[in-house]
Amino acid sequence: MTRHLARKRFGQNFLVDEQIIYQISSLFSNQLATPQSKDQQLIEIGPGRGALTEALLKHQTPLIALELDRDLIPILQTRFSHHRHFTLQQGDALQTDFNELAENKPMRLVGNLPYNVATPLIFRLLENIDNIVDMHFMLQWEVVARLCAGPGDANYGQLSVVVQNQCETKALFQVPPSSFSPAPKVESGFIAITPRTEPLISKEKHRQFNQLVKTAFAHRRKTLRNNLKKLLSTEQIESTGVNPSARAETLSIDDYAKLTELVKS
Ligand code: SAM
């Protein structure tokens, strides 16, 4: 194999733990066998040197691997180009039109994501959620905790509310630094993110909802009344049954939905 040194700027922490690779791949073995899966497109974001790719290809399902690092392309080609289900695309996941890549097929996305790319990528994918069946990602554990947190939880914040409005999130397992090479400084975790059939807020209101949530969490120590004063009056907040003296982290997504209804478009 061509020699390749892990690059920090591409967030390269390669999975080397066979048990974890098996655990991830097993999640797909049953689900990929479902009848509708033939019409779906599995996409791996950031295949790296192919640790997960190899395990996924064993399911005999077409797989598109999207990799940014040009130096990894020949390595991946050599390793998998003989495989009839393998397609390799060089490119940046943050710039990619995923619908085009998947030829408008419903997508299942999987990846051990570079930490600096994970959050912007998830926000970007939310904009195209209609065509996504599910997403399974390895992320920094702290981000997994934030994505799965509920009201009152210390990790509950803008990311939790905005993502959970459109998706169900489930932390599947925690992964120690020793499962990667080079080992990252922090714990990681594997998460399932599944789009809701109906988002809790109608699509037309998403922009206002996201803006309201961002403003509500802008200063965590301040009350809602203070954070939201440019958007809603104290009386308006009260009219929804929400206490204006409460703090953003105590409100449910439903509370945010009710408040959004009152924000002028
Ligand atoms: N899947 C491999 C594994 O588990 O061993 C590699 C995971 S490594 C954490 C992240 C991978 O994503 C690297 O191969 C890196 O080059 C690639 N990558 C980084 N930024 C990317 C981007 N914007 N778009 C696509 N791939 C990216």
Side-chain angles (χ1 to χ4, degrees):
M1 195 194 276
T2 321
R3 198 160 153 67
H4 173 268
L5 293 176
R7 290 207 173 92
K8 218 173 173 181
R9 74 188 160 101
F10 290 144
Q12 291 176 348
N13 299 98
F14 299 109
L15 257 175
V16 289
D17 184 332
E18 290 300 331
Q19 180 58 34
I20 297 291
I21 294 168
Y22 176 77
Q23 248 174 289
I24 296 173
S25 161
S26 309
L27 286 171
F28 285 84
S29 55
N30 294 330
Q31 297 171 38
L32 282 177
T34 55
Q36 79 271 25
S37 65
K38 275 206 270 334
D39 305 321
Q40 298 174 349
Q41 180 61 60
L42 183 62
I43 299 179
E44 184 188 0
I45 301 169
R49 296 171 183 156
L52 209 51
T53 320
E54 179 171 270
L56 292 168
L57 281 169
K58 288 198 177 122
H59 300 308
Q60 300 296 332
T61 302
L63 173 78
I64 298 176
L66 173 65
E67 174 56 58
L68 178 62
D69 184 352
R70 289 177 193 275
D71 290 346
L72 285 170
I73 300 298
I75 294 174
L76 289 161
Q77 288 287 18
T78 309
R79 193 164 172 191
F80 302 115
S81 60
H82 64 278
H83 206 294
R84 69 186 174 100
H85 287 308
F86 179 71
T87 307
L88 183 59
Q89 174 76 40
Q90 190 278 326
D92 182 347
L94 291 173
Q95 307 289 334
T96 298
D97 180 335
F98 280 88
N99 282 332
E100 196 184 327
L101 186 66
E103 294 178 341
N104 292 317
K105 287 185 195 154
M107 289 171 260
R108 304 193 70 192
L109 302 168
V110 59
N112 169 14
L113 296 184
Y115 296 141
N116 55 339
V117 167
T119 312
L121 180 66
I122 291 172
F123 277 122
R124 204 172 123 77
L125 292 170
L126 289 182
E127 288 165 20
N128 267 306
I129 203 85
D130 290 349
N131 225 12
I132 296 178
V133 179
D134 55 23
M135 304 174 248
H136 286 84
F137 294 139
M138 179 84 75
L139 308 171
Q140 214 169 321
W141 178 252
E142 187 207 313
V143 179
V144 171
R146 283 164 55 202
L147 285 164
C148 297
D153 188 322
N155 292 305
Y156 187 61
Q158 188 193 349
L159 185 66
S160 332
V161 180
V162 169
V163 174
Q164 289 174 34
N165 168 37
Q166 288 177 266
C167 303
E168 283 178 31
T169 54
K170 190 169 183 210
L172 299 178
F173 45 86
Q174 211 160 348
V175 185
S178 58
S179 296
F180 304 89
S181 173
K185 289 200 175 64
V186 294
E187 289 280 315
S188 303
F190 203 71
I191 186 172
I193 307 178
T194 314
R196 297 183 191 279
T197 1
E198 277 298 319
L200 300 177
I201 314 290
S202 70
K203 247 190 192 165
E204 302 73 55
K205 292 263 174 187
H206 274 176
R207 201 181 49 78
Q208 279 125 298
F209 177 81
N210 291 351
Q211 183 58 40
L212 175 99
V213 174
K214 186 176 173 191
T215 316
F217 279 100
H219 306 281
R220 285 184 86 103
R221 282 160 183 270
K222 287 192 182 173
T223 60
L224 278 179
R225 179 193 288 116
N226 270 326
N227 275 332
L228 295 181
K229 66 176 173 239
K230 288 203 173 129
L231 293 176
L232 297 171
S233 68
T234 303
E235 291 70 34
Q236 282 178 307
I237 300 175
E238 270 169 349
S239 75
T240 64
V242 171
N243 180 355
S245 306
R247 298 199 201 291
E249 65 264 28
T250 62
L251 267 64
S252 67
I253 298 181
D254 269 350
D255 292 330
Y256 284 111
K258 283 188 245 163
L259 292 171
T260 303
E261 293 302 329
L262 300 179
V263 176
K264 285 203 192 91
S265 17

